[in-house]
């Protein structure tokens, strides 16, 4: 099998983007007090959750945190798959 340079570049970009997206999520979650996936909405108030501590935030921050967490669920598996594709391509 001939190694496809375009596929290799796409895979490398996916790996880098997945890693950077995860790191951004982690750094932002630490900074704002947790994440919305584990947080809660109660009586019109929005809380992020981090290791047993709830932090009240505005609705836009809560929604951002939720969307960013979902994006990590997408980009992380894609980056792992891209790494596997690269590895399999180099074995030949």
């Amino acid at each position: 099998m001939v190694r496809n340079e375009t596929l290799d570049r796409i895979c490398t970009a996916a790996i880098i983007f997945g890693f950077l997206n995860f790191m951004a999520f982690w750094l932002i979650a630490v900074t704002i007090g947790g994440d919305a996936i584990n947080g809660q909405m109660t009586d019109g108030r929005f809380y992020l959750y981090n290791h047993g501590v709830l932090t009240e935030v505005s609705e836009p921050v809560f929604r951002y945190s939720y969307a960013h967490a979902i994006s990590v669920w997408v980009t992380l598996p894609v980056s792992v798959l891209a790494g596997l594709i690269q590895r399999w391509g180099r074995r030949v």
Side-chain angles (χ1 to χ4, degrees), residues 3 22 29 39-40 71 76 81 88-89:
R3 197 161 152 225
F22 175 77
Q40 60 188 8
S71 78
L76 197 56
L81 181 61
W88 289 332

Side-chain angles (χ1 to χ4, degrees), residues 40-55:
Q40 60 188 8
M41 294 181 283
T42 307
D43 298 326
R45 294 180 159 202
F46 300 86
Y47 300 92
L48 303 178
Y49 181 85
N50 186 26
H51 297 285
V53 177
L54 291 172
T55 303

Side-chain angles (χ1 to χ4, degrees), residues 9-30:
R9 288 182 180 164
I10 290 169
C11 288
T12 299
I15 293 166
I16 292 169
F17 183 76
F19 174 75
L20 292 176
N21 190 40
F22 175 77
M23 291 307 297
F25 172 76
W26 181 78
L27 288 170
I28 291 167
V30 167

Side-chain angles (χ1 to χ4, degrees), residues 2 4 7-8 17-18 21 23 29 32 47 58 62 78 88:
V2 177
N4 186 333
L7 180 61
D8 192 47
F17 183 76
N21 190 40
M23 291 307 297
I32 64 177
Y47 300 92
S58 67
F62 184 86
V78 168
W88 289 332

